[in-house]
Amino acid sequence: MRMALPVLPYRNPETLGHIEEIPEILKKENVRKPLIITDSNLSALGAADHLKRVLRQAKVDFAFYDGAFPNPTTKLAGQTTRYYTENQCDGLIAYGGGSPMDLAKAVGVCLARPGKPLEKMAGILKVRRKLPLLIAIPTTAGTGSETTLAAVLVNEEDRHKFSINDFPLIPRYAVLDAETIHTLPPGIASTTGLDALTHAVEAYIGRCTTRGTRADAEKAVALIFANLDKAVRHESREAEAAMLQASHYAGRAFTRSYVGYVHALSHSLSGKYNLPHGWTNAVLLPIVLKRYGSAAWKKLARLAACAGIGKPGDSEETLAKALIAAIEEKNRAYGIPDYIEKIREEDIPSLARYAHREANPLYPVPVLWDAKELEEIYRDVSKNE
Ligand SMILES: [Fe+2]
C-alpha cells in the first residue's frame, strides 16, 4: 500500500491568492451557509475579521466557530459537528494553523460517516465518502495541511494522537493569502516554518519519493532557507508569500511521500504533554537526522545544495553535516532548545511504543529502528547537557 500511494490519483487543491475570491467560489459550489472554523487566539486577535467582512459584503450568510485548540480532540470534533448541523451549514472554511484545519477535516469526516467513531477511521483510506466543500486558509506557513489528506486528532480517552488519511480529506480550495501570516508572532512563525522544513526533509530522505515530490521538497527547502528569517521578522511581504508557498510545496511532498521518525516521535510527545507540533519537530529534527548517519547523507547533501550550503567539491558527508549544523543554528537563533524538559522516564516506553506503531511499517524511513531504539532517542532528548 505504501509503495502504491505515490502513484495513486492525488488531487491538488485549487489555489487562490486572496480571501476576496471566496464568495465567488461559494457561489460556484452552491454553498449557501459555510461554517468558519478557527481558534480562540486568532479570534481574539480579530484575525478572521477580514474574512467575515468579505463574506458580509458579498451577502453570504455564515456561521462562526472559534473553539479549535491545539491538538484537537475527538470530543471537540463531535461538538463542532453538532454546531454545524444546528446552524444548518453546508460547507466548511478552515481558518488558521494546523488545529482548525484538522478540526474542519474531522467535522467533514463526522458528516460523511455519521455514527462511526473517528478513531475507527485511523490509518489510511477508511473514510471513502465525499466530504462537504472544504476551503482551507492557512494562517501559518506551516503545516501544509491545506493540501494534505490527513487529519491529526487526539483521542479524548487516552490522549493518544492518531491520524485519518484519505483522499476526500484534501481540501477542495487552498487560499494562500500572505496577509494572513503578516502578524504572526515570531515564535509561531519560526516553529511552523521549521515544521514545513521537517515535512520537506522527511519526505525527501524517505524511500517513497516520486520525481514530483522530490522537486516539491527541493523547492520548499530552497525557499525556506532563503526566506524564513525574513518572514519571521516580517521584513518583507515577498518572504512571507514565499514561506506560504514553501509550506504548500512541502505539504504536497509529504502527503504523497510521507514523513519519518521526527513526526512519529513528535506526535507521541505533543499528544502526551500538549506541546506544539512545530516546536517538538524543530527540537527533534537535527537529533534524528544525525542518528540516521550515512544512510541519509546522499539526499541531505542534495538538499544542502538547494539551501545554498557548502561549496563545489564538498563530500556528501560534509554537505549533509553542514545542513544539519545549519538547522541547529536556526534552532539556536529562534530560541529552540536541544532537549525537552517535560519528558518523564516512566512515560518513555509508552511514548516509544506509540511512535513505533505510527512509523512502522507506514513511514519509508531511511533507517529502521525498533521501539527500544526510539526509547533511547527520547532519553537523549530528555537530557539537558
Ligand atoms: Fe508536521
Side-chain angles (χ1 to χ4, degrees), residues 181-229:
I181 65 164
H182 187 56
T183 51
L184 266 192
I188 296 179
S190 56
T191 50
T192 50
L194 292 168
D195 183 25
L197 179 66
T198 309
H199 297 151
V201 172
E202 293 213 287
Y204 194 81
I205 63 175
R207 289 176 292 110
C208 194
T209 61
T210 66
R211 194 187 299 172
T213 61
R214 286 192 294 275
D216 278 340
E218 288 175 354
K219 281 189 280 189
V221 168
L223 285 169
I224 291 166
F225 272 88
N227 294 286
L228 180 58
D229 292 345

Side-chain angles (χ1 to χ4, degrees), residues 5 35 49 55 61 66 71 78 82 97 129 162 177 179 190 207 215 242 249 271 308 334 347 381:
L5 273 170
L35 173 64
D49 289 356
L55 295 181
D61 194 12
D66 63 1
N71 304 314
R82 272 194 299 282
R129 299 250 174 94
F162 65 96
D177 188 331
E179 284 303 315
S190 56
R207 289 176 292 110
Y249 286 141
Y334 300 141
D347 296 336
V381 178

Side-chain angles (χ1 to χ4, degrees), residues 265 269 283-284 287-288 338-341 343 375-384:
L265 291 159
L269 277 177
V283 177
L284 288 162
I287 294 165
V288 170
D338 55 6
Y339 69 99
I340 297 175
E341 218 169 354
I343 301 176
E375 283 186 22
E376 273 176 41
I377 300 180
Y378 281 128
R379 275 188 197 101
D380 279 358
V381 178
S382 67
K383 289 182 204 126
N384 178 12

Side-chain angles (χ1 to χ4, degrees), residues 7-79:
V7 293
L8 286 175
Y10 278 87
R11 63 186 164 82
N12 288 322
E14 199 175 307
T15 54
L16 313 172
H18 301 282
I19 283 174
E20 286 78 2
E21 295 168 68
I22 292 176
E24 198 55 41
I25 296 297
L26 293 171
K27 204 165 145 196
K28 192 175 108 186
E29 299 281 351
N30 287 321
V31 169
R32 197 185 37 77
K33 187 177 180 184
L35 173 64
I36 300 172
I37 294 180
T38 188
D39 65 49
S40 54
N41 286 340
L42 284 168
S43 183
L45 293 168
D49 289 356
H50 178 58
L51 168 64
K52 289 190 206 165
R53 215 165 22 242
V54 166
L55 295 181
R56 280 196 198 104
Q57 271 167 10
K59 304 213 170 355
V60 176
D61 194 12
F62 62 88
F64 185 76
Y65 185 84
D66 63 1
F69 49 71
N71 304 314
T73 60
T74 42
K75 186 176 165 195
L76 179 68
Q79 285 164 353

